Amino acid sequence: MQHYDVLIVGGGHSGAQAAIALRQAKFEGSVAIIGDETEYPYERPPLSKDYFAGDKAFERIMIRPPAFWAERSITMLMGKRVESVDPVAHQVAFSDGEQIGYGQLIWAAGGSPRRLMCDGSQLAGVHVVRNKSDVDAMMAELDDVARVAIIGGGYIGLEAAAVLRKLGKEVVVLEAMDRVLARVAGEELSRFFEAEHRAHGVDVRLGVTVESLTGDHHVDGVLLGDGEHIAAQMVIVGIGIVPAIAPLLNAGAAGGAGVDVDEYCRTSLPDVFAIGDCAAHANSFAGGVIMRVESVQNANDMANAVAKSIAGELTAYHSVPWFWSNQYDLRLQTVGLSVGYDDHVVRGDPAARSFSVIYLKAGRVIALDCVNMTKDYVQGKALVTEGLRFTKEQLADTTIPLKELSAGTASN
Ligand SMILES: Cc1cc2nc3c(=O)[nH]c(=O)nc-3n(C[C@H](O)[C@H](O)[C@H](O)COP(=O)(O)OP(=O)(O)OC[C@H]3O[C@@H](n4cnc5c(N)ncnc54)[C@H](O)[C@@H]3O)c2cc1C
């Protein structure tokens, strides 16, 4: 039986970064990555942006060139899916019964797209956006598609909508809530992006429910709860992910909506860490709320912390969250987590398409959403990390750069 000192399950952002960081930390033990996709690690954000638009080739979104992994003595076991974990024997197993032993296991398996459960959800022409293969399948069909219905007005749905408009497709976005981005952003940002998409010709429908997907073998539309039928030759479902944690939970790990980890990303199983999208942790930038964070920052920084710990320097995960999204010519950059905000300030003019929304909780800055406003994003980070207090007037005053506020000209 093969055995690795560190075995990483998942060859996505966090798994790849964990292996890279282990070698950077001079860890000399054996390291392997098991990934159920056949490709070597690649960046996922471009899948709903420039890769989908055909503007970036796959080679340009690979996390490292293929030769890198062998050069660092990182064994790549791609196209293999771990089905179970035996925490006592320190082994993982595949469906064919093959087993691999580990000294320490890093579970970096991300999540799989949440599927619709209604009639028609299995029809041809119904897509999700998580893996390269998902996007390749969509791109291969696009020539025969005039109209696309996107179910879900979150980041992935909206980014896909922007790309599809650029490609000349008619697009309908179907969102169950009364605003887009409802789960992740405040109302101003939602209304701004809603208006932008409408201005670009997207038919944005809010507060709608999906009854079924229609078609005979291939999808031909979406039947809404109110009886309206939206014709579409392609349906994209972007309604979140289900964390890929079943093998760990079956092995006895604590968890539910994610696998529970402590500040060092340790699960309740001995010698088993979990990182990235699947790891439910108490995030100090959300007041200690237990949550999963789905972002490249979270994946990379958790990976870095675990790699350091394994290499001998026990390191807690404590990084200010950041995120970005590109839609049309808009670059949204977010720092901090706005969950639980009780007040906010709009800095700048949304009509000028360059502004920031600053979120406050008990008077302290907890997050910023910056649209075409990189300066605020860069300078606002200090406000979030230090949890500083300012008046709303100070924050809204665009004549005062945020760095001057954090430099101490205002009271804390
Ligand atoms: C289309 C899209 C756009 C995004 N855009 C942004 C963005 O703009 N900015 C941002 O910050 N974040 C973005 N994200 C989120 C970001 O990509 C994720 O947060 C990040 O990929 C999480 O990394 P991860 O390692 O946890 O999971 P993943 O990158 O998903 O990697 C997990 C890997 O594990 C594999 N796996 C799962 N189960 C098993 C198993 N049992 N055995 C073996 N392998 C397994 C999976 O197939 C996958 O390859 C985007 C995500 C998507 C899908």
Side-chain angles (χ1 to χ4, degrees):
M1 185 178 66
Q2 296 173 73
H3 179 281
Y4 295 91
D5 296 320
V6 176
L7 186 59
I8 300 169
V9 178
H13 276 275
S14 63
Q17 182 58 31
I20 293 167
L22 277 167
R23 292 304 185 221
Q24 283 170 343
K26 309 280 181 240
F27 178 77
E28 289 178 355
S30 55
V31 176
I33 296 179
I34 302 173
D36 63 358
E37 296 181 76
T38 48
E39 297 85 9
Y40 275 15
Y42 59 89
E43 295 168 24
R44 244 164 257 284
L47 295 183
S48 51
K49 306 180 183 73
D50 24 17
Y51 180 77
F52 184 31
D55 293 339
K56 227 178 204 180
F58 181 64
E59 294 64 43
R60 290 186 54 211
I61 68 169
M62 296 192 86
I63 287 176
R64 289 290 186 276
F68 171 90
W69 307 100
E71 285 163 12
R72 299 295 187 288
S73 300
I74 297 165
T75 304
M76 303 301 279
L77 304 168
M78 309 316 284
K80 293 169 87 76
R81 182 172 181 79
V82 169
E83 295 294 343
S84 63
V85 176
D86 181 337
V88 177
H90 279 50
Q91 289 168 1
V92 302
F94 304 104
S95 56
D96 62 3
E98 183 195 348
Q99 295 172 329
I100 298 185
Y102 63 82
Q104 315 220 44
L105 182 69
I106 303 178
W107 192 262
S112 52
R114 190 177 296 282
R115 307 269 168 176
L116 286 177
M117 301 303 283
C118 62
D119 284 351
S121 52
Q122 305 298 326
L123 288 167
V126 179
H127 295 271
V128 292
V129 191
R130 182 74 191 178
N131 296 339
K132 173 182 182 284
S133 56
D134 298 329
V135 178
D136 288 346
M138 282 196 296
M139 291 166 83
E141 287 177 25
L142 274 180
D143 281 352
D144 300 323
V145 169
R147 197 156 197 254
V148 182
I150 298 175
I151 300 177
Y155 284 123
I156 288 177
L158 294 186
E159 288 176 354
V163 168
L164 289 164
R165 286 302 297 142
K166 187 179 160 194
L167 298 176
K169 309 298 175 189
E170 285 178 49
V171 181
V172 187
V173 170
L174 304 170
E175 167 57 50
M177 310 286 277
D178 65 353
R179 59 186 177 94
V180 296
L181 302 176
R183 209 168 50 89
V184 287
E187 173 121 20
E188 263 85 9
L189 203 78
S190 297
R191 297 297 169 212
F192 174 79
F193 276 102
E194 176 190 333
E196 281 290 331
H197 280 277
R198 289 212 163 110
H200 281 87
V202 176
D203 182 0
V204 180
R205 306 287 189 95
L206 303 173
V208 292
T209 54
V210 171
E211 186 66 26
S212 62
L213 306 187
T214 58
D216 176 19
H217 178 66
H218 196 284
V219 73
D220 65 15
V222 182
L223 183 63
L224 301 182
D226 65 4
E228 186 182 359
H229 185 256
I230 307 275
Q233 301 84 45
M234 176 182 280
V235 170
I236 300 176
V237 181
I239 54 172
I241 64 164
V242 179
I245 53 174
L248 278 193
L249 297 191
N250 292 342
V259 62
D260 293 347
V261 296
D262 68 7
E263 62 196 304
Y264 303 104
C265 300
R266 295 180 298 208
T267 69
S268 61
L269 300 176
D271 301 316
V272 180
F273 298 85
I275 57 176
D277 283 8
C278 66
H281 62 285
N283 195 297
S284 46
F285 291 91
V289 171
I290 309 281
M291 63 196 308
R292 294 187 302 102
V293 176
E294 295 171 21
S295 74
V296 170
Q297 169 279 318
N298 178 73
N300 284 342
D301 289 340
M302 281 188 159
N304 291 336
V306 166
K308 275 191 190 159
S309 295
I310 290 176
E313 184 191 335
L314 189 64
T315 303
Y317 171 61
H318 177 73
S319 306
V320 64
W322 55 265
F323 184 82
W324 78 96
S325 174
N326 300 338
Q327 296 165 46
Y328 309 109
D329 59 341
L330 300 168
R331 181 156 178 84
L332 168 72
Q333 292 166 292
T334 295
V335 60
L337 295 168
S338 60
V339 276
Y341 72 94
D342 54 26
D343 209 349
H344 72 281
V345 180
V346 179
R347 181 179 159 89
D349 182 8
R353 306 177 83 243
S354 175
F355 67 103
S356 303
V357 184
I358 304 180
Y359 300 91
L360 304 160
K361 188 173 182 185
R364 296 185 188 279
V365 175
I366 57 166
L368 293 91
D369 281 328
C370 309
V371 176
N372 290 346
M373 192 57 108
T374 299
K375 204 181 246 179
D376 279 2
Y377 166 74
V378 172
Q379 298 182 3
K381 188 174 175 183
L383 271 53
V384 173
T385 3
E386 292 154 31
L388 300 175
R389 264 178 214 278
F390 302 101
T391 65
K392 289 174 73 175
E393 290 67 32
Q394 284 175 310
L395 292 168
D397 186 347
T398 51
T399 65
I400 310 175
L402 293 179
K403 70 175 176 201
E404 283 184 18
L405 294 181
S406 55
T409 50
S411 62
N412 180 5

